Amino acid sequence: MQRYGARRLAAQTPMAINKWTGFNDSLSFPPHSHHENGDHQLFCDLLEACKLSQDIRTATETHTRIIRFGYGTNSSIAASLISTYVNCNQLNLAYQVIRQVFSWTVSLAGLNLVIDSFMRIGEYEIAKKVFCKMPDRDVVTWNSMIGGYVRNGKFEEALRSFQAMLSSNVEPDKFTFASVITACARLGALNHAQWLHDLMVQKRIEVNFILSSALIDMYSKCGRIETAKEVFESVERNDVSVWNSLINGLAVHGLALDAMMVFSKMEAENVLPDSLTFLGILKACSHCGLVKEGRKYFDLMENYYSIKPQLEHYGAMVDLLGRAGLLDEAYAMITAMPMEPDVIVWRILLSACRTHRNTELGEVAVANISGPKSGDYVLLSNIYCSQNRWDNAQEVREMMKEEGVRKRRGKSWFEWEDVVHRFRAGDKSHPETEALYKILEGLIQRTKLEGFVPSTELVMMDVSEEEKEENLYHHSEKLALAYGILKTSPGTEIRIYKNLRICYDCHNWIKMVSGLLSRVIIIRDRIRFHRFEGGSCSCGDYW
């Protein structure tokens, strides 16, 4: 039964259980009879319906019948039961099923299914408990754990699991490497990435288009776009995903002209672009302010390649126009879209309004965001501050307090000797805090002597100028940079990764630091890469 069938069944689960259990309670099929395949699937379908409707009463009734009919030791039914109980927030019942599973002689494949079931619904801690109790593990077991960690954003856990897998003498396969490559890409862990690539070569893993695309994406996101290009040139390029990975990589590095050249080469080699290709090329144009070129590709997509623009393509165009200061045109595109704009589109417009200090459209954008988050309020407050509308900014801050909305804290990380060091704004928990703060204070004094003036209008607090400066100087990327300077020798490139968009103050400060120290400093924020060198940035202050 397909998922839509389960959804239909979900609307009538109490009635359905009596209907299809027409083989009534007096009947009891042995667990290995010829009925097993069909009947156990019926149980799985009904449990899926219970999960979708969160009907715990019918789920427990179904559980009783499962045991009565002799299917209690069926691994796929056990996985469905666990998944249903977790989804219905009945973790005690889920744990009971897990304990029962380990009291049976359940196949390895069945336990792998249980792990995968928990990972898919985000219960990775429970999956880990099942994993730890397993007497035997095969490559599928490890892949379920590693892939599940990646899906749930636990990238460091995925890398640790991969290391443990190697220590257990289970050989990884192409699926293992695909997951671990993704983890490296998301972390920006270059040392891990290079080691992983070497290991693939050593183990003679066949590189298909999925792995080729993943490797290109990994090196791009680790700040090595030249290596990404080398991988691209060395692999087969018959599949569009390989081209898309490079185009997207070039886009986040602000190399729009290179991305357009790759697109032209793609056409010359008769590889048809898809919707993701155009999304990448539009993003590349957006990062570099190439409005004319962006419009050309947007038209080309539908009029020449018959690819209907989706919501994300319109969002990319709104971003392109908004960054370029064409706010009225960006707003007109939103109102003329053939589909309902989502909160992401409105946030893109709001961000552009912050950049270009357009209060009126900024208020329109916020009004269209259902349940504004901290970032939305911060942007609106910053717009008011830039216009010296302090009362309005204060109103936004009061609104945040009333609604219990807290400003999202910035996080940055820096990889050193195969360890990822994490920093939060104002963080003093690092073991080498005293030394890194000493470095930071020295840099602050040097930049002040060079004439650097902090952008205190960005601080949404009613405090003195000195306190505002203190707040700005302790942003997470500044702490990560100080630690990078502490640990590396002069002349070494420093790579930092950040969960949010880099603020104007940090951007301008790091530009000055790169010139003072003659250092290359590379920062990957939520939007793109910034390469600081000689007092300037690769983005040209356009991001």
Side-chain angles (χ1 to χ4, degrees), residues 21 44 59 80 94 167 181 211 226 272 310 373 403 452 459 515:
T21 53
C44 289
S80 294
S167 299
I181 286 170
L211 285 176
E226 292 303 322
L272 285 175
Q310 300 301 310
K373 295 185 177 180
E403 298 182 12
F452 180 78
V459 180

Side-chain angles (χ1 to χ4, degrees), residues 16 21 140 146 168 181 238 257 260 294 299 358 399 418-419 446 483 488 502 509 520:
T21 53
V140 177
I146 295 168
S168 69
I181 286 170
N238 298 327
L257 296 180
M260 288 188 282
D299 292 338
N358 188 313
M399 197 182 303
D418 296 332
V419 176
R446 288 185 66 179
Y483 187 71
T488 61
I502 189 171
W509 187 78
V520 173

Side-chain angles (χ1 to χ4, degrees), residues 207-279:
V207 179
N208 56 16
F209 72 89
I210 296 173
L211 285 176
S212 297
S213 303
L215 283 169
I216 293 166
D217 181 63
M218 177 182 73
Y219 279 117
S220 298
K221 288 179 177 172
C222 288
R224 284 290 180 90
I225 191 63
E226 292 303 322
T227 308
K229 289 180 184 178
E230 290 171 9
V231 173
F232 175 80
E233 293 296 339
S234 68
V235 299
E236 290 188 7
R237 302 189 294 271
N238 298 327
D239 194 273
V240 64
S241 64
V242 179
W243 297 84
N244 290 349
S245 288
L246 184 59
I247 288 172
N248 274 284
L250 293 166
V252 296
H253 281 268
L255 300 170
L257 296 180
D258 288 17
M260 288 188 282
M261 285 176 62
V262 172
F263 184 89
S264 298
K265 187 175 182 180
M266 182 181 186
E267 290 182 309
E269 294 190 18
N270 297 316
V271 178
L272 285 175
D274 62 11
S275 62
L276 292 177
T277 315
F278 282 101
L279 185 60

Side-chain angles (χ1 to χ4, degrees), residues 37-304:
N37 288 339
D39 295 333
H40 102 260
Q41 185 58 51
L42 285 174
F43 279 122
C44 289
D45 290 339
L46 188 59
L47 287 170
E48 177 68 12
C50 292
K51 182 172 75 172
L52 292 171
S53 62
Q54 295 198 324
D55 185 349
I56 188 61
R57 180 173 177 271
T58 306
T60 53
E61 289 176 2
T62 306
H63 191 175
T64 301
R65 284 171 169 79
I66 286 168
I67 295 170
R68 186 175 299 152
F69 295 147
Y71 293 114
T73 59
N74 183 286
S75 56
S76 60
I77 288 179
S80 294
L81 269 170
I82 293 166
S83 177
T84 301
Y85 283 144
V86 171
N87 200 62
C88 293
N89 200 30
Q90 298 292 322
L91 294 184
N92 287 336
L93 293 175
Y95 280 128
Q96 286 178 24
V97 178
I98 290 173
R99 284 194 292 270
Q100 289 169 356
V101 165
F102 282 99
S103 69
W104 309 326
T105 305
V106 179
S107 68
L108 181 59
L111 292 175
N112 290 342
L113 191 61
V114 170
I115 288 175
D116 187 64
S117 173
F118 274 120
M119 283 299 194
R120 288 186 182 278
I121 59 174
E123 294 291 340
Y124 47 85
E125 290 296 341
I126 302 177
K128 185 177 179 181
K129 289 181 180 179
V130 175
F131 174 83
C132 291
K133 289 183 179 181
M134 290 174 66
D136 298 301
R137 298 159 188 152
D138 62 6
V139 66
V140 177
T141 315
W142 288 99
N143 286 352
S144 296
M145 288 298 295
I146 295 168
Y149 278 135
V150 171
R151 280 198 302 272
N152 286 285
K154 300 294 177 180
F155 307 117
E156 290 178 73
E157 285 87 344
L159 293 179
R160 281 194 286 269
S161 291
F162 181 64
Q163 294 276 12
M165 178 185 187
L166 297 177
S167 299
S168 69
N169 295 320
V170 176
E171 281 296 308
D173 60 15
K174 59 186 177 184
F175 299 105
T176 321
F177 279 103
S179 293
V180 184
I181 286 170
T182 301
C184 285
R186 296 298 296 272
L187 282 172
L190 180 60
N191 292 342
H192 284 84
Q194 292 170 327
W195 165 76
L196 188 64
H197 194 181
D198 289 342
L199 191 63
M200 284 179 60
V201 174
Q202 177 188 325
K203 292 185 176 295
R204 298 181 179 178
I205 299 294
E206 182 185 356
V207 179
N208 56 16
F209 72 89
I210 296 173
L211 285 176
S212 297
S213 303
L215 283 169
I216 293 166
D217 181 63
M218 177 182 73
Y219 279 117
S220 298
K221 288 179 177 172
C222 288
R224 284 290 180 90
I225 191 63
E226 292 303 322
T227 308
K229 289 180 184 178
E230 290 171 9
V231 173
F232 175 80
E233 293 296 339
S234 68
V235 299
E236 290 188 7
R237 302 189 294 271
N238 298 327
D239 194 273
V240 64
S241 64
V242 179
W243 297 84
N244 290 349
S245 288
L246 184 59
I247 288 172
N248 274 284
L250 293 166
V252 296
H253 281 268
L255 300 170
L257 296 180
D258 288 17
M260 288 188 282
M261 285 176 62
V262 172
F263 184 89
S264 298
K265 187 175 182 180
M266 182 181 186
E267 290 182 309
E269 294 190 18
N270 297 316
V271 178
L272 285 175
D274 62 11
S275 62
L276 292 177
T277 315
F278 282 101
L279 185 60
I281 206 77
L282 290 174
K283 286 181 178 178
C285 292
S286 178
H287 286 311
C288 296
L290 302 178
V291 176
K292 180 181 175 182
E293 291 80 357
R295 288 182 179 134
K296 182 192 79 171
Y297 285 109
F298 189 75
D299 292 338
L300 189 70
M301 175 170 54
E302 186 167 20
N303 297 331
Y304 186 78

